[in-house]
Amino acid sequence: MHEAIDPNGANPFTQIPIEITISVGKARPLVRDLLRLKRDAVLPLDRRVEDPVELYVGDKLIARGELTELDGDQSGQLAVRLTEVADLQNGL
């Protein structure tokens, strides 16, 4: 069975949404401290607010960026401004 080729060269897979995970840091508490966590506890991360975040698809690092806050109708919503992007043309 042959699939029809789009004359514009568009790949139908480019229309599929994909989930990106944004990593803002890691925490390494002792197990005893983890077991004591309660609501409103603060868990320090290994990064500062101004440090870059990492964007992953699965376990593949695809980009880095900085956290930012949207304005206008989406005021207060977090977003990421990309500062580095991997070459994704040859697949993930």
Side-chain angles (χ1 to χ4, degrees), residues 14-49:
T14 62
Q15 301 301 311
I16 298 173
I18 191 163
E19 185 171 291
I20 297 175
T21 301
I22 312 299
S23 175
V24 297
K26 295 179 182 176
R28 294 185 57 98
L30 297 174
V31 171
R32 71 171 180 243
D33 296 332
L34 183 64
L35 294 172
R36 294 179 186 154
L37 289 179
K38 303 237 186 290
R39 182 184 170 131
D40 294 328
V42 175
L43 189 60
L45 301 178
D46 64 347
R47 297 202 185 164
R48 301 179 56 82
V49 169

Side-chain angles (χ1 to χ4, degrees), residues 28-91:
R28 294 185 57 98
L30 297 174
V31 171
R32 71 171 180 243
D33 296 332
L34 183 64
L35 294 172
R36 294 179 186 154
L37 289 179
K38 303 237 186 290
R39 182 184 170 131
D40 294 328
V42 175
L43 189 60
L45 301 178
D46 64 347
R47 297 202 185 164
R48 301 179 56 82
V49 169
E50 64 272 4
D51 287 346
V53 297
E54 296 174 332
L55 289 77
Y56 290 90
V57 171
D59 62 353
K60 173 98 171 149
L61 177 63
I62 61 159
R64 289 190 176 87
E66 54 191 32
L67 290 178
T68 188
E69 187 177 330
L70 297 178
D71 294 327
D73 293 342
Q74 296 175 315
S75 180
Q77 184 172 348
L78 279 177
V80 177
R81 181 179 317 282
L82 300 181
T83 56
E84 295 177 56
V85 179
D87 177 9
L88 302 175
Q89 293 299 317
N90 295 319

